[in-house]
C-alpha cells in the first residue's frame, strides 16, 4: 500500500511538471523552478531526453549541424533571457568534429518578472536539429501553467552544467597555431577549448595540452584560415566548463620577424665573409687570389671583370642551392639546412672532390678545364668563364663547411617566405664574394698583397693539406652514415682517382678525356652501389634517444631535460660535446640535478627531428633546449656551449 | 638522387592513397585536380573544363538542408543562373555506401530529373577522396573555380547558416553567395566574399 502511494505521488509529480512532447527522436518538456508566487527571478528549463546515441548542438555546432531556435509566448511582464548554454561535449565524426549534447540535455533560461505580473501559461516552440548518423529537424510546442506548476529539482542540475567561473587566458598567435595560456590548480586529465565562433579555429584539429611549469598550461589550437582578432568560448577542463571572455589574440610573435630580418641579413653577410677562412674554402680562394696578383700585374683593367665574373659565379650558385631547397620544401619535403650532408653519396662525393683538389694542388697537373688553374695558363691570362667557374667551385667546396657552421642562420632563412630566403642567401653570397671582389675593384689593395714569386708554388702545395684534412672529416661523417664496406668502396674510389690523375698527366688530350670518363664512371657506380642499410649511431653515451613528443611527456612528468640536437657532420656540435657536454662535471651536474640528457641525432634524415627543429624556428643543428619545472617555455641555449655556462643553468 | 626518388614516391603516393584527413584547398590558388566517375559512368576530370568556370556542390538528397534547398527550387534556380553565365555545375555525392545520401547512378539520374536540377554532372565519390581533397564538410558545401582553374570561393551557399533557424528563414531573402559571385568569378576576378561558414549536415564519409 505504501509503495502504491509513493508510485502515485511520483505519477502526480510528473504530470505536474509540464506535458512532455515527443518530437520524433526526443521527449521534450518545459520545467520551472519558481518556488513561490513572489519570486521575481527564476529559471525555466527545456529538457530534451533524446533517443540513445542522438544528439543536438551547442551554439557553435562545429563542422556541421546547428543550434536550436525558440519562440516564447508568455504573460505580460515577463522577460525570458537567452539560453544559458551548458558546457558541450565533443561529438566527433571523423574527419569532422561537432559540439553538442548527447542523449540528454537541459537548457536553462533565466526569467525576470514584474512583481505585479500574473502567473499564467508559458508556451515555447523549439525547433532543433537532432542527429545520430543522420540529421532530422524536429520541433516541439510545449507549455506549463506557472500558477499550478511545481518547482522541478532538475533545473538545478541543468544550471550546474552551465559554466559560471571565468578563466583568464592569454592568446598568442604562433604561425598557424594559437596558444591559449591559462593557470589551473590540480591535475588536468583533459582540456578542450570550445570556440564561440565557427571559422576561428579548426574544430577537427586535436588540441595539444602543454604544461609550462607549476600550474601554468598552454593549449595549442590550430587556427582556421586567418588569425582571428579575438576568441571567446568555453574551456572545458576535466568535465568542468570555464567561461573564456573575448580575449585579443597577440600576434606580435608572428610579426616579429621583420625586426629580425635586418639582423639575419647582417649575419648572413658576415657569415659569408667568414666562410672564406674555412679550411675547405680558403685554399681555393687563396689560389684564386694568387692568380689574381698575376693578372693585375699584367693586365690590371681585366682584373675588375674577373672579380665580377667570380661574384656572379658565387651568387648564382647560392641562388641555385636556395631554389633547390625552396623547391623541395614546397614539394612537401621536410628538409633543413645541412640536408645535403644527410645523403652519404654527397658526403662521399665531396670527400673525393676535396682529395682531388688536394692532389691537383700538390702536383703540376692541369686538368683540361681546370677550375683552379694556377699553372702555366695563368701567364696568358684566364678567361672570364674560368673566374665564374671558380666562384661556383668555391661554393661547392664551401657547402660542407656552411652546414656545420651556419646552420642556425640558414635555418632562419629557410623558415622565411621564399623571397626573404632568397635575399638572405644572396647576402651570404655577397659576403662570401666580397674579399675577392674588393681586390678587383680597388686595385690599390693589391699593393698590400705580397709580390708574386716562387713562394707561390710552395704556398699552393701547402694549401693541399687543409683539403686533405677536410676530406678526413667528410670520410668520418661518411663512416657514421654507412658501413665499413662502403668505407672501403670510398677509399677504393680515392685510389682509382689518384691513379687516374697520375696516369693521365703524361698523356695527350684524347687519352686524358678517356681516363677522366673512366674515373668518373667508377665514382658514379661506386657511390650508387653503396649499401646504406647499416647505419651506425653517434658514439654511445648515457644519453636517452630523442623521440617525437618526448618534450611534452617529460613536461607532464615535471621532469627537467636537456636536448642535444646534433649530427655527425656538424663540427660545432662535436666541439660542444668535447668542450662541454661530455665533460665529467657536466655529466655530474645533469645527474645531481636530475636533468634528463637527450640526444636527437640528425646525421641521417629524420623528418620528426626536422619538424621539431622548425617548431623552434630552426632548420639546422646544433640546437640545445633546456627545460625545468617552473619554466614557461623551454630555453634555447646558445649554439656555442661552455662547461661554465651549463653548470650555471 | 635520393630526394628525387622520394619526391617521385611522395607524388605517386598522393595519387593513389585516400587521405584520411580533410585537406584545406587555398583560395586564389589552382583548385585541386581530380577525376571521378559520374552518374553515366563517364570519368570527369577538372581538366575537361579548361576555359570554363566550374561550380562544385556537395549534396546528399536525404539531408534536410539539401531537401529544403531543392524543394523550394532554390538550388535549381542558382544552377540555372550559373548555367546562363557559362558555368559547369558538378554535384558531388561523397556519402559512403550504407550511409545517408549514398545512391546508385540510376537513382542519381532519376533525382536530377524529378527535382528538375540544372546541374551538368553528378559525381559519385563513394570513397570520399574528392570530398576530402576539397575539405567538404557539409551538404551543401560549395566551391567556385574560375575559367583559369583558380579556386575563388568555398563555403556555405548563403548567409543563413546552420541551426534550426534555417528551417524558418526565407531562402529567397538570404544573400546567396553563388548567385552573388557568378559574374566576377566567370570573369576570372576575385569576388568580394570568398569564404563563408559551410553549414548543413555533415558529409557522410565512411567514419570507420
Amino acid at each position: 500500500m505504501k509503495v502504491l502511494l509513493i508510485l502515485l505521488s511520483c505519477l502526480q509529480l510528473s504530470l505536474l511538471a509540464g506535458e512532455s512532447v515527443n518530437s520524433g527522436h526526443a521527449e521534450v518538456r518545459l520545467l520551472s523552478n519558481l518556488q513561490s508566487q513572489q519570486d521575481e527571478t527564476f529559471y525555466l528549463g527545456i529538457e530534451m531526453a533524446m533517443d540513445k546515441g542522438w544528439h543536438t548542438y551547442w551554439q557553435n555546432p562545429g563542422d556541421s549541424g546547428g543550434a536550436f531556435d525558440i519562440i516564447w509566448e508568455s504573460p505580460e511582464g515577463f522577460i525570458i533571457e537567452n539560453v544559458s548554454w551548458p558546457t558541450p561535449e565533443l561529438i566527433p565524426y571523423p574527419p569532422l568534429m561537432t559540439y553538442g549534447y548527447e542523449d540528454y540535455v537541459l537548457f536553462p533560461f533565466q526569467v525576470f518578472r514584474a512583481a505585479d505580473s500574473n502567473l499564467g501559461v508559458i508556451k515555447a516552440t523549439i525547433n532543433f536539429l537532432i542527429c545520430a548518423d543522420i540529421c532530422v529537424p524536429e520541433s516541439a510546442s510545449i507549455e506549463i501553467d506557472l500558477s499550478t506548476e511545481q518547482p522541478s529539482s532538475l533545473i538545478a542540475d541543468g544550471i550546474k552544467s552551465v559554466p559560471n567561473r571565468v578563466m583568464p587566458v592569454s592568446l598568442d598567435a604562433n604561425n598557424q597555431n594559437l596558444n591559449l595560456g591559462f593557470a589551473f590548480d590540480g591535475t588536468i586529465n583533459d582540456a578542450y577549448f570550445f570556440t564561440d565562433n565557427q571559422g576561428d579555429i579548426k574544430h577537427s584539429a586535436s588540441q595539444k595540452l602543454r604544461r609550462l611549469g607549476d600550474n601554468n598550461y598552454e593549449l595549442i589550437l590550430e587556427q582556421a584560415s586567418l588569425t582571428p582578432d579575438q576568441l571567446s568560448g568555453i574551456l572545458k577542463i576535466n568535465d568542468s566548463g570555464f567561461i573564456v571572455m573575448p580575449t585579443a589574440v597577440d600576434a606580435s610573435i608572428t610579426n616579429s620577424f621583420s625586426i629580425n630580418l635586418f639582423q639575419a641579413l647582417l649575419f648572413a653577410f658576415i657569415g659569408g665573409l667568414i666562410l672564406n677562412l674555412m679550411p675547405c674554402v680558403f685554399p681555393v680562394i687563396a689560389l684564386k687570389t694568387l692568380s689574381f696578383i698575376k693578372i693585375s700585374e699584367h693586365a690590371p683593367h681585366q682584373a675588375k671583370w674577373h672579380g665580377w665574373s667570380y661574384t656572379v659565379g658565387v651568387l648564382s650558385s647560392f641562388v641555385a642551392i636556395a631554389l633547390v631547397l625552396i623547391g623541395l620544401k614546397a614539394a612537401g619535403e621536410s628538409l633543413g639546412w645541412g640536408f645535403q650532408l644527410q645523403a652519404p653519396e654527397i658526403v662521399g662525393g665531396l670527400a673525393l672532390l676535396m682529395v682531388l683538389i688536394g692532389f691537383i694542388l700538390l702536383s703540376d697537373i692541369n686538368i683540361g678545364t681546370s677550375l683552379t688553374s694556377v699553372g702555366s695558363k695563368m701567364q696568358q691570362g684566364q678567361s672570364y668563364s674560368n673566374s665564374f667557374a671558380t666562384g661556383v667551385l668555391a661554393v661547392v667546396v664551401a657547402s660542407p663547411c656552411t652546414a656545420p657552421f651556419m646552420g642556425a642562420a640558414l635555418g632562419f632563412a629557410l623558415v622565411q617566405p621564399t623571397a626573404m630566403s632568397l635575399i638572405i642567401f644572396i647576402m651570404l653570397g655577397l659576403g662570401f664574394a666580397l674579399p675577392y671582389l674588393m681586390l678587383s675593384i680597388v686595385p690599390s689593395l693589391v699593393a698590400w698583397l705580397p709580390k708574386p714569386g716562387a713562394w707561390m708554388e710552395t704556398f699552393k702545395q701547402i694549401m693541399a693539406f687543409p683539403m686533405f684534412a677536410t676530406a678526413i672529416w667528410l670520410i668520418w661523417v661518411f663512416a657514421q652514415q654507412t658501413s665499413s664496406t662502403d668505407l672501403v668502396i670510398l677509399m677504393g674510389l680515392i685510389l682509382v682517382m689518384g691513379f687516374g690523375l697520375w696516369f693521365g698527366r703524361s698523356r695527350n688530350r684524347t687519352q686524358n678525356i678517356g681516363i677522366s670518363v673512366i674515373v668518373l664512371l667508377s665514382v658514379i657506380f661506386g657511390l650508387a652501389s653503396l649499401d646504406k642499410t647499416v647505419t651506425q649511431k653517434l658514439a654511445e653515451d648515457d644519453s636517452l634517444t630523442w623521440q617525437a613528443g618526448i618534450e611534452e611527456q617529460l613536461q607532464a612528468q615535471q621532469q627537467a631535460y636537456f636536448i642535444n640536437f646534433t649530427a655527425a657532420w656538424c663540427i660545432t656540435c662535436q666541439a660542444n660535446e668535447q668542450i662541454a657536454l661530455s665533460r665529467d662535471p657536466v655529466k655530474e651536474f645533469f645527474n645531481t640535478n636530475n636533468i634528463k640528457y637527450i640526444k636527437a641525432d640528425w646525421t641521417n634524415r629524420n623528418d620528426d627531428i626536422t619538424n621539431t627543429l622548425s617548431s623552434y624556428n630552426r632548420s639546422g643543428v646544433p640546437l640545445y633546449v633546456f627545460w625545468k619545472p617552473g619554466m614557461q617555455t623551454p630555453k634555447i641555449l646558445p649554439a656555442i656551449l661552455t662547461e661554465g655556462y651549463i653548470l650555471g643553468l | 638522387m635520393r630526394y628525387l626518388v622520394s619526391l617521385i614516391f611522395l607524388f605517386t603516393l598522393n595519387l593513389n592513397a585516400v587521405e584520411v584527413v580533410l585537406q584545406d584547398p587555398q583560395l586564389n590558388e589552382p583548385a585541386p585536380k581530380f577525376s571521378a566517375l559520374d552518374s553515366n559512368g563517364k570519368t570527369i576530370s577538372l581538366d575537361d573544363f579548361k576555359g570554363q568556370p566550374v561550380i562544385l556542390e556537395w549534396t546528399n538528397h536525404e539531408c534536410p538542408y539539401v531537401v529544403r534547398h531543392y524543394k523550394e527550387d532554390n538550388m535549381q534556380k542558382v544552377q540555372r543562373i550559373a548555367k546562363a553565365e557559362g558555368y559547369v555545375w558538378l554535384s558531388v555525392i561523397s556519402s559512403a555506401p550504407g550511409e545517408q545520401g549514398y545512391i546508385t547512378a540510376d537513382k542519381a539520374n532519376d533525382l536530377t530529373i524529378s527535382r528538375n536540377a540544372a546541374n551538368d554532372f553528378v559525381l559519385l565519390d563513394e570513397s570520399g577522396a574528392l570530398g576530402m581533397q576539397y575539405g567538404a564538410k557539409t551538404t551543401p558545401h560549395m566551391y567556385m573555380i574560375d575559367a583559369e582553374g583558380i579556386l575563388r570561393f568555398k563555403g556555405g551557399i548563403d548567409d543563413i547558416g546552420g541551426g534550426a533557424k534555417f528551417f524558418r528563414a526565407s531562402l529567397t531573402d538570404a544573400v546567396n553567395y553563388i548567385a552573388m559571385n557568378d559574374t566576377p568569378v566567370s570573369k576570372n576576378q576575385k569576388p568580394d566574399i570568398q569564404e563563408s561558414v559551410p553549414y548543413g549536415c555533415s558529409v557522410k564519409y565512411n567514419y570507420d
Side-chain angles (χ1 to χ4, degrees), chain A residues 63 65-67 69 94 127 129 133 198, chain B residues 65 138 163-164 168 197 200 204 207:
Chain A
D63 287 329
D69 183 62
N127 300 296
L129 275 172
D133 284 344
Q198 245 174 338
Chain B
Y65 291 87
T138 58
R168 289 196 294 112
V197 176
K204 307 302 178 201
Y207 294 126

Side-chain angles (χ1 to χ4, degrees), chain A residues 63-71 93-96 127-129 133-137 198-199 202-203 224-225 328 331-333 335 339-340 342-345 532 605, chain B residues 1-4 6-7 10 20-22 24 62-65 99-100 132 136-138 154 162-165 167-168 195 197-207:
Chain A
D63 287 329
S64 68
F68 70 79
D69 183 62
I70 195 161
I71 304 161
Y93 277 84
L96 306 180
N127 300 296
F128 55 93
L129 275 172
D133 284 344
I134 58 165
C135 276
V136 185
Q198 245 174 338
K202 284 192 179 153
H203 304 120
S225 46
L328 285 172
E333 290 276 279
L335 300 173
F339 80 96
Q340 66 273 51
Q342 290 173 348
E345 296 91 335
K532 289 173 305 244
R605 192 172 160 188
Chain B
M1 191 59 197
R2 207 167 103 177
Y3 297 105
L4 192 67
S6 55
L7 257 181
L10 275 174
V20 288
V21 286
L22 288 187
D24 188 16
E62 292 171 301
C63 162
Y65 291 87
E99 298 286 341
Q100 187 196 55
M132 296 194 196
K137 291 177 176 171
T138 58
K154 59 179 181 185
K165 70 175 183 298
F167 297 96
R168 289 196 294 112
E195 210 172 344
V197 176
Y199 70 86
C201 309
S202 56
V203 174
K204 307 302 178 201
Y205 296 114
N206 190 353
Y207 294 126

